Amino acid sequence: MEDLVLNWDLGTGGLLLLAAASIALLLVLIMTFKIHAFLALMITSLLTAVAAGIPFDRLIAAIQFGFNPTLGSVMLLVALGAMLGRMIETSGGARVLTDRLIARFGEQRAGMAVGIASLLMGFPIFFDAGLVVMLPIIYAVSRRLGGSLLSVAFPSALAFSSMHIFVPPHPGPVSASAILGADVGLVLILGLVVALPVWYLVGVLFGGWVGRKYHVEVPTILSGTPDQEREMESNPAFGKVIFLLVLPLVLILLNTGLNMYAATTDDPDAFKAEPVVALLRTLGETPIALLITVLVSFWLLGWGMGKKGSLLDKVADSALGPIASVVLVTGAGGMFGGVLRVTGIGDAIAESLNSVGMPVIVAAFLIAQIVRIAQGSATVALTTAASLMAGVVIDGGFNPVETAAIVLATAAGSVGFSHVNDSGFWLVSKFFGLDVKTTLKTWTVAQGLMAIVGFAISYVIYLVGGMLG
């Protein structure tokens, strides 16, 4: 990023104007001229880079800066998750699990049950990976209940989002805790105090309202052909389906647990380098955990049920075509956000706000929120705000509870108002079958509410911490 030198300095005002104009252009291309989102994102990214003064011989490097890492991480997770989802869907496993959920919780609470399951899975699993794994269940429950997909999808998706943004061991709150000198264990406990009400108020209550207002049919992205579904149909046991959902969770928890234990040792790097530990940590890396689960699903739902390898190959292959657009558009969203980061808009805004002189917890929240809106990445917004506030927080004499509350307020700011420069926006848009306008009205608003509610709870914790001394 450092070698992507701009030809001129636009200043904070100019960068804000450039970002606003870029987002407006993107929306016009997609919503007015109906240009495919991937092409519109690429065109806007290139024009933004040129307008920012990035040299022509560095344009490709500028758009690859955000595209390559986003595509690399999303492609593996979405491809493996889609294969697993297709196996569970075509075998009848999703229907088996749906029948059991409805029999146990009733139709009125089945969506809530999916949301609670997502909260539990969301503890160690990243937002995008968890959402992809849960998609066949979300689709099946929604199909069985009727009504809008969003009534089931939003409580689940926002459960993953809440856990990802507020609760260690996810990278955002862990990084902010390290930067600001907060106790990670305390952040974890208080993070749950924030995440659970945020999920209920936004995911369940607001998500329920969204589901009643916007009727969205269940996408066919994970559905096989009629021939595949007929040949793969095996009505697997409920325990097998649960095992396939829990297996990646256990493997990823193994990785997380070993990493957290390593942090307590005298030499973390030496502990992680031990052959057995290194092997177990590798098995718990999210792509490897999903790969193992896909292979296990081939046995439990395929080979072990007398299905031919050629049929499984067709089912797995058929899962990849429909998700190509999801992966490319999500990568292009990362491209657009990356170009905005290259312009330096986030740093410029953060430095300007940091010099205003407002309460630390408010400043941290606002810096993270505005940087998030400006350039898209929640992680960048969180680490940028935490880095700028580090000196003030560390030297400010805050007690452990107050420091943890500042971390959570910063995290709240970093999640707010996801829109077209955020790769997660496009992931939700494509998997839920939403157009851009509807995604802005639903997902963007939901993420904004998460930020506001999350900050309010964090601020209350901060005040209580202050009273406790």
Side-chain angles (χ1 to χ4, degrees):
M1 179 175 168
E2 288 77 8
D3 60 349
L4 299 175
V5 180
L6 307 185
N7 283 334
W8 53 79
D9 182 10
L10 298 176
T12 302
L15 289 172
L16 276 172
L17 183 61
L18 174 62
S22 300
I23 292 168
L25 172 62
L26 179 60
L27 293 175
V28 168
L29 291 176
I30 294 173
M31 298 171 66
T32 303
F33 293 100
K34 308 301 180 185
I35 295 176
H36 191 279
F38 176 73
L39 296 176
L41 283 161
M42 191 168 183
I43 292 168
T44 305
S45 297
L46 283 169
L47 292 177
T48 301
V50 171
I54 293 174
F56 288 108
D57 61 348
R58 305 301 297 157
L59 282 180
I60 299 302
I63 64 173
Q64 288 177 339
F65 170 72
F67 182 76
N68 289 358
T70 302
L71 186 66
S73 61
V74 168
M75 181 168 57
L76 289 175
L77 302 182
V78 172
L80 292 167
M83 286 185 180
L84 177 61
R86 182 63 60 88
M87 289 294 296
I88 293 174
E89 179 79 12
T90 56
S91 69
R95 187 180 64 253
V96 168
L97 182 56
T98 299
D99 290 344
R100 181 64 67 91
L101 283 174
I102 291 176
R104 176 66 180 83
F105 296 99
E107 291 192 357
Q108 296 299 320
R109 294 189 293 273
M112 173 76 79
V114 174
I116 293 172
S118 300
L119 279 173
L120 296 174
M121 290 185 66
F123 182 76
I125 297 181
F126 287 7
F127 167 76
D128 42 10
L131 183 60
V132 172
V133 170
M134 283 298 291
L135 275 178
I137 312 306
I138 293 171
Y139 289 173
V141 171
S142 181
R143 197 178 290 119
R144 172 70 179 273
L145 297 179
S148 175
L149 167 74
L150 301 184
S151 297
V152 179
F154 259 51
S156 177
L158 290 166
F160 284 114
S161 182
S162 296
M163 297 298 282
H164 185 90
I165 202 66
F166 291 114
V167 182
H170 290 288
V174 169
S175 298
S177 298
I179 294 170
L180 296 176
D183 181 278
V184 175
L186 185 59
V187 172
L188 189 155
I189 295 170
L190 295 177
L192 289 172
V193 172
V194 176
L196 296 179
V198 165
W199 167 71
Y200 182 76
L201 292 172
V202 183
V204 177
L205 299 185
F206 177 75
W209 177 83
V210 165
R212 292 188 295 272
K213 183 172 179 62
Y214 299 95
H215 182 79
V216 177
E217 296 291 342
V218 178
T220 59
I221 193 169
L222 294 182
S223 300
T225 65
D227 288 342
Q228 286 177 355
E229 291 182 349
R230 185 173 57 255
E231 292 181 66
M232 278 294 298
E233 183 75 32
S234 61
N235 292 319
F238 174 74
K240 287 185 178 181
V241 182
I242 290 295
F243 177 76
L244 290 174
L245 294 177
V246 171
L247 179 57
L249 176 67
V250 172
L251 291 172
I252 294 168
L253 268 174
L254 180 64
N255 175 283
T256 301
L258 288 171
N259 287 339
M260 293 181 71
Y261 178 76
T264 66
T265 63
D266 294 332
D267 191 346
D269 292 334
F271 176 78
K272 292 178 181 179
E274 292 180 12
V276 175
V277 175
L279 173 61
L280 294 176
R281 290 180 62 244
T282 300
L283 294 178
E285 293 288 349
T286 303
I288 303 299
L290 286 176
L291 173 61
I292 292 170
T293 307
V294 169
L295 295 176
V296 172
S297 77
F298 281 4
W299 171 256
L300 291 180
L301 307 179
W303 298 316
M305 304 294 289
K307 308 299 181 183
K308 295 180 180 179
S310 57
L311 173 60
L312 300 184
D313 178 64
K314 290 179 181 178
V315 170
D317 184 67
S318 67
L320 298 179
I323 56 97
S325 176
V326 176
V327 171
L328 287 173
V329 170
T330 302
M335 175 200 302
F336 183 41
V339 167
L340 290 175
R341 291 200 296 276
V342 166
T343 66
I345 183 170
D347 292 338
I349 293 171
E351 289 172 5
S352 297
L353 279 176
N354 195 33
S355 63
V356 171
M358 60 182 69
V360 171
I361 190 170
V362 177
F365 169 76
L366 289 178
I367 290 171
Q369 175 68 98
I370 296 176
V371 173
R372 158 73 157 173
I373 293 172
Q375 52 75 49
S377 170
T379 302
V380 170
L382 182 53
T383 53
T384 297
S387 298
L388 282 171
M389 302 305 298
V392 178
V393 173
I394 292 172
D395 297 333
F398 298 102
N399 65 40
V401 173
E402 290 174 316
T403 304
I406 293 170
V407 169
L408 295 171
T410 311
S414 72
V415 75
F417 299 102
S418 162
H419 63 98
V420 292
N421 59 7
D422 174 28
S423 59
F425 173 93
W426 298 102
L427 197 69
V428 167
S429 172
K430 294 300 179 181
F431 272 136
F432 292 174
L434 305 176
D435 58 31
V436 172
K437 184 177 181 180
T438 306
T439 312
L440 288 168
K441 289 181 177 180
T442 57
W443 183 251
T444 300
V445 173
Q447 295 267 274
L449 290 174
M450 284 182 66
I452 294 168
V453 175
F455 173 73
I457 299 172
S458 301
Y459 192 70
V460 170
I461 293 172
Y462 177 82
L463 294 177
V464 172
M467 289 188 291
L468 294 176

